[in-house]
Amino acid sequence: MMRGLEDHEDGSDRSVRPPVKVANGRGLDTGRPLTLLDRLRLCQSAWAPGTPWDREGAFAALWGRPIGSFLVLGDASAQPQILCLTVGSSSEPVREFPIQRTGAVFHLPQSHLGFSDLVQLVAFYSLSRDVLPVCLYIPPCVFSLTDQPDRVLSHLGPKFWLCSSPNPQLDHMTMTSTGLTMCSIQVTSANGALPAPWTSRPANHRKERRLSTTRQWGGAGLRKMRGLSLDHEPCDTPQDSSGFPAVQSPVSPPPTEGVVLRRASQPIVCDSLKRRGDSESAAEPAAGSDSQCGPTPQSPHRVSSLEEEPDPALSPAHHHPHSLPLVLADKVKNRLSAVGQAIGGLVSPQKRLSKRVQELSERRAGAFAEMLRAFADNTLRGAAPPPPSGTEMLQEVRNTLTGLREALLDCPEIQILIDSLTDIPDPELDAMLEVSLHKVALKPVCAHLYTCLRDYRSRDGTLQNLREHQQALEGRDPAELGGTAGAGVPDAVTLERIQQRWASMHEAYSPSKKVQVLLKVCKSIYHSMSANASPGAVFGADDFLPCLTWVLLRSDLITLQLDTDYMMELLDPTQLQGEGGYYLTSLYASLFYISSFRPRLATRQLSAEAQQSLSQWHRRRTLHCNQSRRGRNRRTIRKHVRSAGAGPQREGEPQREAGAQREAGAQREAGQADGERPASAEGGSEATDAPPGGRMGSLHAAGGALEVLQEEEGHLVDTGTETGGEAEEPGEVGQEGQGLAGVVRGVPETAKLKEPEVERREKGKDKGLEDGLSNHLQSMQQTQGEAALRGDHRPHATAWTVSEDSAS
Amino acid sequence: MALRELKVCLLGDTGVGKSSIVWRFVEDSFDPNINPTIGASFMTKTVQYQNELHKFLIWDTAGQERFRALAPMYYRGSAAAIIVYDITKEESFQMLKNWVKELRQHGPPNIVVAIAGNKCDLSDAREVSEKDAKDYADSIHAIFVETSAKNAININEIFLEISQRIPVVDSGGGAAGKGFKLRRQPSETRRTCC
């Protein structure tokens, strides 16, 4: 690949550079700050100078250099290459270590770590000494490579590498670091702290291919090397020809190394911090002691607030570097994982995404930040007429989350980041985006939402029922709850652990995170069920639900009910069909069973009683489902309006193009949705608009910001599709609906039953749009429904009340 | 290849072998590289059908009478429902009819219904004749097979028939495929122009 760049490499060539991947498979962000790997690649000819250099010359050159200074001798064709290293001992100041190559893997003979190329090996050993006596020392000048015009690089040689004036304090740091670096490769492997590429010996084929190019550096000299490096990573930031101007957030710190600084333990990374400090802020006063050298350069890069679970071992270490031995194990672990991240740029995509979202949320006058602030304000202040139920309150929140996610997807910064994560499937990306959003949107309002939820659930009697029925049912064993004898229940210890998990589930503000905890609980319940079971026994829902109920009866039902509501409504609807959705449904079902339990009534009666509430539940979930599909459509509409000049211009030219494509896709999806509707289902009169399964997986929820809604409403009126929207779900007045139909005044039955089948067919593709509009109407109704029921009805809204309530 | 996720709900009396059917369907696809589900109540299996991949998300329900009212929470949004009865228990067949009614009334509008007469290996103890069941299934346009989870009879066939009956999506591709395209296109555009 990229041979063309080798000898006539010229800055202008870069404009036509096809997408490339770095070693870890990520695509490149253009304009991204250089990683250590990139820098090392840029100046590889300096530290691995090739044939003219021999052992003696290298030893001479390294003599008296800072400890850790090194050169690599021999080209790839000569086996082995030799790492010459200044170790600082008086008897043997410079030592050599063979670098072996087995197949496509580079490694030091005594080490268990393999690397797919020399650069990675060097980068790793500059951060972790592993089997070496000291870490490799990367001279500070390397960290200033970014700013150099690339022509200068072609003159780099060992002189550049070794002649940067040694700083005594740096030496001191390096030695300190060496003394503290207790990690060995055994620790590494056992901890699994390093990401896979670093611990896996077998070469990965993608890397191998790249390697074959890399190996040519031997006789080709620097120029060729440079071509290669550029191929892998832009060394100069201006990439205007890519058509993406100003893509980099002005406030964004260099991501990779920022994380290294944060994650690595304090004293150990001093040297690298120092080097960084030297190169990037020369004015930085040289620190004389360990405890001083760290924090200053570190602070701008701290992103620890983004961590899901901050490591408690880290924070004390910042302030008490001398208590190091106590936390050494953690430090080593952290350090190693930091090492892995630093080298491969392997900062988890989730963290990068979260970080970027966090930045956007803090940006002054940014659209996303404004939306967030408005959301938080509105939520904390409470709607003017408070929503009639906790469910509706949460649905509003969910709508906003969806709108925020759309807004994020429209942000160039996020778009770029997402585009670089080519190896992550879309559903996962969506989930990651959700999680990032939870942090900035839900965390501030979470406690408030719980307070409101508790109020709602107290008022509707659920909490009271749960308390009473818990007492009544507590003594029952699983068999009395409907379980079979073969399945076990959790023992006291497991039950205790489950209680702790429930507590941590409650603590989490992210519904996704909560569901993860729920899955852990369910897993341990399963484990208990099958602990003493005969081999081959299969425990399905017949056994699981009673067992779950048994566990719930020994738990804090009130909190669980609130948690369940929170998760049910706020989880991304696309997550509801999977495993998390299943067990969440089971939790909900089990709580419902307990709260609606009537000891003196026959089960039949219970069912009848339950149906009423269930129909509400069903309506809610169905609505949700529709909303998420509606998202795309809504989006389509918004784009439509804007492209017609009625809406604000979108920022960024390329984005508009992307948006147009997405719009096309959304329309296609809407069209399909229409196509899936049965021409005449058996029992068609009861047909509801609940989407068939299988579609949910693709749903990207969207829209929900008020301005967007208003925009659409305007559009809707313009095109006069209210009727279509209104009759969108024909004949839905099912049995439960009858009663409600009586409540709603002034709506003729015929209007509700009007069948727009023909109309619908005729409209063809535009129907997708209408679906969106009508669905939108439906969601509008949700908030207006109450007003409608009070008699303040707008015809379409009223009609919707009926059809929705009968949707079950 | 387009991937479609199909939610399939299992209904039927307790003890008729709902989860055994799923277990049998899923077991041969256990791949150590794919995270297995945490229990048999919810299982997944992906099969190829024509030019699509169908990922079945199989939701088991508790068949006990006392939990009957909870079923709508589970079957909501299903593309298909498999209603299982035990051929050696007439009662379970009557219950099946109730499930069909309920699905017709409250289930998703175009849900594919499959009827599985399980335990057909126990034909000595048969209480429900195959013909009666078949006639009933035909009358409601449902898929019908007699199965034996124990002997792995007709298990894959049920799911194959469900695949066949799932409405085809147009050439735009399956659910996940669409999502993919929607997101990827912008980046590809960018790359070709730079």
Side-chain angles (χ1 to χ4, degrees):
Chain A
M1 61 196 235
M2 309 316 304
R3 285 308 148 78
L5 294 173
E6 280 168 11
D7 280 322
H8 12 267
E9 148 76 282
D10 178 308
S12 63
D13 286 347
R14 261 166 276 124
S15 59
V16 292
R17 188 172 62 240
V20 292
K21 293 202 163 193
V22 288
N24 63 5
R26 286 181 309 103
L28 294 173
D29 293 352
T30 50
R32 185 162 64 86
L34 297 185
T35 64
L36 177 58
L37 270 184
D38 304 325
R39 296 169 197 277
L40 283 173
R41 280 212 176 84
L42 282 172
C43 61
Q44 186 165 355
S45 62
W47 51 265
T51 33
W53 281 76
D54 59 8
R55 199 172 158 276
E56 283 69 32
F59 272 49
L62 287 168
W63 188 274
R65 299 292 164 200
I67 291 167
S69 300
F70 70 97
L71 288 172
V72 176
L73 300 181
D75 60 38
S77 57
Q79 285 286 329
Q81 287 171 271
I82 297 170
L83 173 68
C84 299
L85 177 61
T86 312
V87 295
S89 97
S90 53
S91 61
E92 199 184 15
V94 181
R95 284 174 61 187
E96 63 177 61
F97 302 87
I99 299 172
Q100 292 189 335
R101 224 183 107 225
T102 312
V105 179
F106 290 77
H107 64 103
L108 297 183
Q110 285 131 16
S111 170
H112 295 288
L113 289 179
F115 302 90
S116 61
D117 65 23
L118 207 53
V119 172
Q120 298 196 27
L121 183 143
V122 166
F124 177 85
Y125 286 105
S126 74
L127 292 158
S128 168
R129 68 184 178 96
D130 188 13
V131 296
L132 295 176
V134 297
C135 282
L136 301 186
Y137 169 66
I138 310 289
C141 54
V142 171
F143 294 94
S144 59
L145 279 182
T146 330
D147 309 316
Q148 308 236 357
D150 32 338
R151 299 240 170 249
V152 175
L153 293 177
S154 61
H155 304 297
L156 295 184
K159 209 171 176 184
F160 160 81
W161 184 253
L162 296 172
C163 284
S164 49
S165 62
N167 178 335
Q169 262 149 0
L170 274 182
D171 286 356
H172 173 68
M173 299 305 163
T174 312
M175 281 167 67
T176 308
S177 131
T178 307
L180 290 175
T181 309
M182 307 278 290
C183 53
S184 72
I185 193 56
Q186 282 76 19
V187 175
T188 309
S189 309
N191 278 346
L194 284 179
W198 300 99
T199 48
S200 65
R201 199 66 167 280
N204 125 4
H205 289 290
R206 185 163 45 187
K207 287 179 185 167
E208 200 172 323
R209 251 187 299 122
R210 197 168 53 74
L211 191 75
S212 61
T213 333
T214 313
R215 255 185 286 121
Q216 295 188 1
W217 62 268
L222 185 64
R223 202 168 172 77
K224 193 168 286 181
M225 227 11 259
R226 197 186 103 226
L228 263 172
S229 315
L230 290 169
D231 156 13
H232 291 299
E233 180 66 88
C235 69
D236 47 352
T237 26
Q239 294 290 329
D240 298 353
S241 50
S242 73
F244 259 31
V247 291
Q248 199 68 16
S249 145
V251 294
S252 76
T256 310
E257 301 198 61
V259 174
V260 179
L261 296 173
R262 171 177 55 83
R263 295 291 304 270
S265 55
Q266 199 62 47
I268 293 177
V269 291
C270 272
D271 50 353
S272 68
L273 283 171
K274 198 55 223 156
R275 293 170 204 157
R276 196 185 158 77
D278 276 2
S279 59
E280 295 203 340
S281 56
E284 184 82 34
S289 75
D290 293 351
S291 53
Q292 281 176 302
C293 75
T296 321
Q298 184 177 30
S299 45
H301 304 292
R302 279 191 69 177
V303 287
S304 61
S305 62
L306 290 182
E307 296 213 77
E308 290 287 74
E309 292 168 296
D311 189 341
L314 274 179
S315 19
H318 286 307
H319 309 294
H320 307 288
H322 299 296
S323 64
L324 184 70
L326 296 175
V327 290
L328 189 60
D330 280 330
K331 285 171 159 296
V332 168
K333 193 174 72 185
N334 283 321
R335 176 157 179 269
L336 285 177
S337 72
V339 164
Q341 291 178 351
I343 296 166
L346 288 175
V347 185
S348 93
Q350 175 69 72
K351 288 216 169 112
R352 286 201 284 156
L353 203 52
S354 293
K355 186 169 173 238
R356 199 56 58 84
V357 170
Q358 181 85 28
E359 284 163 16
L360 284 171
S361 75
E362 289 161 0
R363 183 175 299 176
R364 279 173 197 281
F368 177 71
E370 287 302 322
M371 275 176 88
L372 264 184
R373 201 165 310 125
F375 163 68
D377 289 350
N378 289 339
T379 307
L380 296 177
R381 201 183 324 123
S389 72
T391 299
E392 272 153 274
M393 173 190 74
L394 290 176
Q395 281 176 354
E396 275 304 302
V397 175
R398 178 63 245 178
N399 281 341
T400 311
L401 282 181
T402 305
L404 285 167
R405 194 170 68 177
E406 283 294 302
L408 273 182
L409 279 172
D410 283 347
C411 288
E413 289 93 338
I414 297 296
Q415 194 98 46
I416 296 239
L417 185 54
I418 283 176
D419 284 347
S420 74
L421 304 172
T422 45
D423 48 356
I424 297 179
D426 271 24
E428 261 177 66
L429 269 179
D430 281 341
M432 283 163 49
L433 210 52
E434 273 286 312
V435 170
S436 310
L437 199 51
H438 294 158
K439 167 102 186 164
V440 294
L442 285 183
K443 195 177 180 188
V445 299
C446 176
H448 175 77
L449 292 177
Y450 266 95
T451 311
C452 298
L453 268 182
R454 186 179 289 269
D455 281 354
Y456 282 116
R457 280 300 191 178
S458 300
R459 259 181 275 152
D460 74 7
T462 307
L463 301 187
Q464 180 63 20
N465 284 343
L466 282 173
R467 275 189 210 102
E468 286 170 6
H469 301 157
Q470 183 168 25
Q471 286 174 352
L473 289 166
E474 209 166 10
R476 305 200 174 194
D477 60 30
E480 288 172 292
L481 294 166
T484 48
V489 291
D491 57 23
V493 177
T494 313
L495 210 51
E496 181 55 34
R497 200 177 313 134
I498 289 176
Q499 301 304 337
Q500 288 165 7
R501 290 235 161 95
W502 288 143
S504 72
M505 184 171 92
H506 179 64
E507 289 301 311
Y509 55 83
S510 159
S512 315
K513 169 85 176 159
K514 282 179 193 278
V515 169
Q516 291 309 311
V517 180
L518 170 64
L519 284 177
K520 283 184 191 161
V521 170
C522 292
K523 193 171 186 174
S524 57
I525 291 177
Y526 256 107
H527 196 261
S528 304
M529 282 166 68
S530 43
N532 297 313
S534 54
V538 177
F539 294 115
D542 285 353
D543 302 292
F544 179 75
L545 200 60
C547 197
L548 175 65
T549 308
W550 185 88
V551 169
L552 292 186
L553 288 169
R554 281 148 191 80
S555 309
D556 177 1
L557 285 177
I558 306 298
T559 306
L560 280 172
Q561 179 69 59
L562 303 181
D563 287 333
T564 307
D565 289 343
Y566 187 91
M567 286 186 273
M568 264 291 183
E569 299 306 334
L570 296 187
L571 197 66
D572 176 4
T574 61
Q575 305 289 306
L576 285 172
Q577 280 201 319
E579 192 167 32
Y582 179 84
Y583 288 102
L584 182 53
T585 301
S586 296
L587 175 60
Y588 189 95
S590 186
L591 285 168
F592 184 82
Y593 172 74
I594 295 171
S595 69
S596 60
F597 181 76
R598 293 279 182 85
R600 283 180 299 259
L601 293 179
T603 35
R604 282 281 176 203
Q605 284 169 289
L606 168 67
S607 297
E609 168 80 13
Q611 281 296 340
Q612 177 70 17
S613 312
L614 271 177
S615 71
Q616 286 170 9
W617 182 88
H618 185 198
R619 172 185 80 106
R620 160 153 49 109
R621 303 313 307 160
T622 306
L623 271 176
H624 226 123
C625 203
N626 286 342
Q627 278 164 5
S628 57
R629 179 184 47 158
R630 201 181 305 150
R632 281 285 182 212
N633 301 334
R634 187 180 287 179
R635 186 185 177 83
T636 307
I637 295 153
R638 181 180 53 180
K639 300 262 160 63
H640 225 76
V641 171
R642 287 183 179 176
S643 61
Q649 285 301 308
R650 298 157 57 85
E651 44 179 284
E653 199 60 33
Q655 294 309 310
R656 190 172 308 163
E657 188 175 0
Q661 274 161 347
R662 210 182 292 158
E663 176 181 342
Q667 279 179 344
R668 190 169 52 221
E669 184 179 53
Q672 281 165 17
D674 196 37
E676 279 177 39
R677 201 166 281 124
S680 66
E682 306 109 27
S685 63
E686 294 130 5
T688 69
D689 197 40
R695 221 184 306 149
M696 250 175 102
S698 72
L699 300 176
H700 297 260
L706 194 56
E707 49 164 326
V708 174
L709 294 182
Q710 283 161 349
E711 224 172 274
E712 286 161 30
E713 194 177 20
H715 185 61
L716 175 77
V717 173
D718 288 347
T719 52
T721 48
E722 283 132 309
T723 320
E726 196 176 298
E728 176 24 4
E729 294 183 17
E732 279 198 11
V733 186
Q735 287 148 346
E736 278 105 0
Q738 303 287 357
L740 278 160
V743 176
V744 181
R745 285 156 296 189
V747 181
E749 280 299 296
T750 48
K752 279 169 279 171
L753 292 170
K754 192 168 102 191
E755 171 62 72
E757 196 66 37
V758 179
E759 191 183 9
R760 187 190 294 167
R761 294 273 163 264
E762 284 170 358
K763 294 210 173 169
K765 189 179 166 192
D766 289 339
K767 190 63 185 65
L769 236 142
E770 277 179 41
D771 273 3
L773 293 168
S774 60
N775 282 331
H776 158 55
L777 258 187
Q778 189 177 358
S779 85
M780 296 280 291
Q781 175 275 330
Q782 217 175 299
T783 47
Q784 292 163 354
E786 247 224 326
L789 282 168
R790 288 196 307 263
D792 167 30
H793 55 80
R794 297 166 23 173
H796 64 270
T798 322
W800 275 105
T801 308
V802 175
S803 55
E804 270 181 41
D805 280 335
S806 60
S808 58
Chain B
M1 193 176 299
L3 177 75
R4 292 178 74 185
E5 292 193 339
L6 302 173
K7 176 174 170 182
V8 177
C9 175
L10 283 172
L11 299 168
D13 257 359
T14 177
V16 296
K18 294 186 296 289
S19 40
S20 303
I21 288 179
V22 185
W23 183 264
R24 183 59 93 176
F25 175 60
V26 171
E27 68 171 352
D28 63 341
S29 69
F30 278 159
D31 179 342
N33 296 319
I34 295 173
N35 278 346
T37 56
I38 61 177
S41 305
F42 173 88
M43 298 189 118
T44 67
K45 178 170 173 170
T46 306
V47 296
Q48 185 177 348
Y49 175 71
Q50 294 178 352
N51 60 349
E52 288 184 330
L53 288 176
H54 285 179
K55 181 176 183 183
F56 290 105
L57 309 170
I58 307 164
W59 288 48
D60 193 10
T61 61
Q64 293 90 333
E65 175 74 26
R66 72 182 71 198
F67 296 132
R68 186 125 322 144
L70 308 174
M73 301 179 187
Y74 289 86
Y75 62 64
R76 189 202 62 83
S78 292
I82 301 175
I83 313 178
V84 186
Y85 71 97
D86 178 349
I87 67 157
T88 69
K89 289 199 177 100
E90 169 69 22
E91 198 187 320
S92 70
F93 185 63
Q94 296 310 319
M95 193 52 74
L96 172 140
K97 294 182 176 176
N98 289 340
W99 280 121
V100 171
K101 266 184 228 154
E102 175 169 343
L103 275 184
R104 289 293 177 229
Q105 285 181 0
H106 304 298
N110 46 354
I111 188 170
V112 173
V113 175
I115 292 175
N118 197 28
K119 306 192 187 176
C120 71
D121 51 299
L122 302 176
S123 56
D124 289 352
R126 179 188 287 278
E127 286 184 7
V128 182
S129 89
E130 187 168 0
K131 183 175 183 310
D132 287 354
K134 173 84 175 126
D135 289 348
Y136 173 72
D138 286 346
S139 75
I140 59 162
H141 306 287
I143 296 166
F144 172 75
V145 279
E146 284 202 345
T147 56
S148 166
K150 189 178 163 203
N151 296 343
I153 296 169
N154 278 342
I155 303 296
N156 288 332
E157 283 76 0
I158 297 188
F159 288 90
L160 181 64
E161 291 218 33
I162 288 174
S163 277
Q164 286 166 355
R165 291 217 192 179
I166 294 294
V168 184
V169 292
D170 69 28
S171 56
K178 261 181 305 186
F180 183 81
K181 280 178 192 155
L182 292 175
R183 185 77 66 75
R184 287 303 169 229
Q185 276 169 348
S187 66
E188 277 156 17
T189 309
R190 178 170 68 88
R191 280 177 185 157
T192 50
C193 74
C194 64

